[in-house]
Every structure is written in structure tokens, then in C-alpha cells.
């Protein structure tokens, strides 16, 4: 990736590999017991991933949207949503960030969690989203239909990546069951594509920009194909915290709503704050396609991801979404 020397594919960027697939990892949070004592702010630990998607919560903390609601927010990075979920359930984190498919799978296993705020969403623009499927410039693959029978790299198997890529293939008239998926960390995918170890890759920013800089060509915007304005990830908490401290949950939701709205309206500040918690270089952040940060979770798209999980046999039976959705 000579032209992308400005993108250090270091451990910090490797964290981005977990952003959409919910890779497992060991969180290192410190317990924070919420609850105001003598007027002091609630100390709140939130488990996040050091990726573009969580820029609003960092921006919201910077702008005082949480402290203004008497929340002393401690953002703790973890390797992925699959590590954050047990941290939230155990009380190590009061809130966490994870992709929607991982949350659906966790709910199907009976974990007592509930979404409280939108996290990140697709732009809804084909060819201009923050994630997509790319092939080499000279590849015979011209559309998602041509991915049938081919090998596609995803960062995590049996999660939001392969189910939405299959949705693209299905929509284009191809056979989604014939696509072969291999698990490969996002930072390693552009090189694997260039070396012909895979036929196509599914990546998110900044790796979309990285692959394109090496000459890769976009053939599908899988989030866009899966559902209009797809909610990709969400912030969530435990049912126990909702029962014990509903006021804290309410204030967190309000602060997140303000953070999301501010991020959506101030893309330049979003690009600036990304450099404060990742090692993505400034000359790269100005080029990447930012995701959308609507205030509300697109509940219809969560249902679609649930249906896809059942259709692709990630689940035998869909969980009751009423217990998961806010």
C-alpha cells in the first residue's frame, strides 16, 4: 500500500476490523458504578471501537453534550462489538457500541440488552457509501451478480458483512448461496486482493479509500442494497441498568441524539475529531466517505437484517425485536 503510507495499518487501525463484524476480543474496562452522589456527575463507561463510525460520541463529549447532562463519560476502546456485549451485560460498561447483526445474535441467545440510540447508518447512496465490495481494476466481475461462485473476503464470518453482500448478489439476480466467504482483517484485504488471493473484498472506510488508491473498483454498495438507509450499528445498554437507573439512560439518549445531530451537521469537525482517537492521518480523513448519523434507528432495516440472518441461517429463529429496539 505504497500510496497509502499515510494510513498506518497499526493496531489502532486493526481495531477498525471489528467495526462492522463484531470480532471477539477482551475488553479492558474499569467498573464504573453509575449513580449520582451528593450532586456529583454520574461516572459512565462506554465501550466503543476506534473507528470512524463512533465519531459523534467523541464529538459529543468534546462539545460538552454529556457533561451538560451530568454525565462524566469515559470512552473505553475494545476490539469489537462481541467483546463489548458481555462487558455491558456484566456492568463493566454502562453503554456499548456494536453492529446491529451482532446485537440481534446476542438477543437471540437470551442476553438482556436493549438498543438506546442510533450508532451509524448507511448513506443510502449507491456508489457513495462508507462500505462496499471492491474488485481489481481488470477483474471480469462487473456487478454483484458476478460474485456468484467467487471468493469474497469479509472481516468476520456469519455477520453483517456476508449477509449484506449476499443481499447485493440476490438483488442483482445472482446466486447468493454460491458466494464463498473467507475471514480476513480489513487492513489485510487490499493486499490480498492485489495478490489475487481473493476475487473481491468487502471493506469499510478508511479501507475503501485505501483499496481505491491501489486501483480497486467498486462493484456493490452492500449496505445500500440490503435496505434503504440501513442502520448499521447502535448504542445499547443492559436491561438491568434500564430498570435501576432509567434517568441516566434517558440523559445518555438525549446526549447521543444531540451528538448525532451535531456530527451530521458538521462534517469538518467530524473529520478533525477522528484524528484524536484513531491513527488515521489527516490527509486521509479528508478523502473518506463519511457514514450517515440520523437521530433515529431505522427499525424496518433492523427487521430486514433479522430476516437476512434467518434466511442465511445465522439464526434458526428471529428474536423478539420489541425487546431489543428502543
Amino acid at each position: 500500500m505504497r500510496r497509502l503510507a499515510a494510513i498506518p495499518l497499526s493496531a489502532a487501525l486493526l481495531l477498525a476490523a471489528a467495526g462492522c463484524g463484531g470480532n471477539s476480543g477482551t475488553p479492558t474496562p474499569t467498573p464504573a458504578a453509575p449513580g449520582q452522589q451528593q450532586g456529583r456527575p454520574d461516572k459512565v463507561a462506554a465501550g466503543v471501537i476506534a473507528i470512524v463510525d463512533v465519531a459523534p460520541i467523541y464529538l459529543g463529549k468534546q462539545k460538552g453534550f454529556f457533561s451538560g447532562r451530568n454525565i462524566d463519560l469515559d470512552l473505553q476502546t475494545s476490539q469489537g462489538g462481541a467483546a463489548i456485549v458481555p462487558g455491558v451485560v456484566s456492568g463493566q460498561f454502562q453503554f456499548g457500541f456494536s453492529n446491529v447483526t451482532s446485537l440481534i445474535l446476542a438477543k437471540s441467545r437470551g442476553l438482556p440488552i436493549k438498543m438506546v440510540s442510533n450508532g451509524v447508518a448507511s448513506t443510502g447512496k449507491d456508489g457513495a457509501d462508507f462500505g462496499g465490495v471492491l474488485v481489481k481494476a481488470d477483474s471480469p466481475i462487473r456487478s454483484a451478480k458476478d460474485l456468484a461462485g467467487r471468493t469474497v473476503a469479509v472481516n468476520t464470518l456469519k455477520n453483517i458483512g456476508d449477509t449484506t453482500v449476499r443481499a447485493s448478489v440476490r438483488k442483482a439476480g445472482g446466486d447468493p448461496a454460491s458466494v464463498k466467504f473467507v475471514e480476513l482483517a480489513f487492513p489485510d484485504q487490499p493486499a490480498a486482493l492485489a495478490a489475487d488471493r481473493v476475487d473481491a473484498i468487502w471493506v469499510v472506510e478508511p479501507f475503501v479509500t485505501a483499496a481505491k488508491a491501489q486501483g480497486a473498483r467498486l462493484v456493490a454498495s452492500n449496505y445500500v442494497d440490503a435496505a434503504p438507509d440501513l442502520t448499521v450499528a447502535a448504542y445499547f445498554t443492559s436491561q438491568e441498568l434500564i430498570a435501576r437507573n432509567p434517568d441516566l439512560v434517558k440523559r445518555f439518549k438525549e446526549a447521543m441524539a444531540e451528538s448525532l445531530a451535531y456530527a451530521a451537521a458538521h462534517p469538518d469537525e467530524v473529520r478533525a475529531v477522528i484524528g484524536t482517537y484513531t491513527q488515521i492521518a489527516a490527509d486521509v480523513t479528508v478523502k473518506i466517505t463519511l457514514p450517515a448519523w440520523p437521530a433515529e434507528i431505522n427499525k424496518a432495516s433492523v427487521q430486514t437484517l433479522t430476516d437476512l440472518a434467518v434466511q442465511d441461517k445465522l439464526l434458526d429463529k428471529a428474536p423478539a425485536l420489541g425487546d431489543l429496539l428502543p
Side-chain angles (χ1 to χ4, degrees):
M1 298 175 70
R2 293 185 179 89
R3 293 183 57 190
L4 293 166
I7 307 180
L9 298 183
S10 61
L13 269 187
L14 188 58
L15 289 173
C20 297
N23 286 354
S24 62
T26 303
T28 54
T30 55
Q36 292 171 279
Q37 297 178 358
Q38 298 179 348
R40 288 179 294 179
D42 287 320
K43 291 186 177 296
V44 170
V48 296
I49 312 163
I51 54 175
V52 173
D53 309 35
V54 298
I57 197 169
Y58 278 91
L59 198 53
K61 180 178 179 180
Q62 186 183 91
K63 293 295 178 181
F65 301 155
F66 291 89
S67 60
R69 291 174 172 84
N70 221 27
I71 294 174
D72 180 6
L73 182 64
D74 179 20
L75 295 172
Q76 300 186 14
T77 57
S78 187
Q79 191 171 342
I84 293 171
V85 170
V88 169
V89 172
S90 69
Q92 291 177 311
F93 299 129
Q94 279 66 62
F95 300 92
F97 174 91
S98 183
N99 83 71
V100 170
T101 297
S102 288
L103 294 179
I104 293 167
L105 294 174
K107 195 65 178 180
S108 74
R109 296 173 187 134
L111 294 180
I113 57 173
K114 193 175 187 69
M115 297 179 188
V116 296
S117 168
N118 180 40
V120 68
S122 164
T123 65
K125 299 174 182 177
D126 190 22
D129 203 9
F130 74 104
V133 183
L134 297 100
V135 298
K136 289 180 68 175
D138 60 355
S139 170
I141 299 171
R142 308 305 301 181
S143 72
K145 181 178 180 179
D146 301 327
L147 293 171
R150 304 285 188 165
T151 300
V152 181
V154 294
N155 73 315
T156 303
L157 294 172
K158 296 183 178 180
N159 209 282
I160 196 168
D162 45 16
T163 58
T164 54
V165 171
R166 285 193 184 98
S168 287
V169 176
R170 190 178 291 114
K171 182 178 179 180
D175 177 13
S178 70
V179 181
K180 303 168 188 174
F181 290 97
V182 296
E183 186 169 294
L184 195 61
F186 283 142
D188 300 328
Q189 290 192 29
L193 181 64
D196 293 317
R197 295 200 298 273
V198 293
D199 298 307
I201 59 175
W202 168 64
V203 287
V204 295
E205 292 288 16
F207 305 105
V208 173
T209 297
K212 285 182 176 179
Q214 290 186 323
R217 174 169 49 84
L218 186 77
V219 294
S221 297
N222 50 305
Y223 286 158
V224 179
D225 291 336
D229 304 317
L230 178 77
T231 294
V232 176
Y235 290 92
F236 66 102
T237 191
S238 65
Q239 294 283 5
E240 187 274 336
L241 181 61
I242 292 171
R244 178 166 54 87
N245 200 337
D247 180 66
L248 173 61
V249 175
K250 177 177 178 289
R251 284 181 282 124
F252 181 87
K253 290 172 67 173
E254 290 172 350
M256 274 309 312
E258 188 171 8
S259 300
L260 291 164
Y262 192 89
H266 298 84
D268 290 344
E269 292 188 48
V270 167
R271 295 180 192 278
V273 82
I274 288 169
T276 67
Y277 67 91
T278 76
Q279 293 186 22
I280 304 173
D283 63 334
V284 177
T285 60
V286 299
K287 298 175 184 176
I288 63 176
T289 299
L290 295 177
W293 287 293
E296 300 297 329
I297 291 171
N298 182 343
K299 295 181 180 180
S301 75
V302 175
Q303 181 64 60
T304 297
L305 287 175
T306 304
D307 295 342
L308 289 174
V310 174
Q311 187 171 5
D312 294 332
K313 302 189 186 329
L314 273 66
L315 293 173
D316 292 329
K317 181 181 178 182
L321 291 184
D323 294 336
L324 179 62
L325 291 167

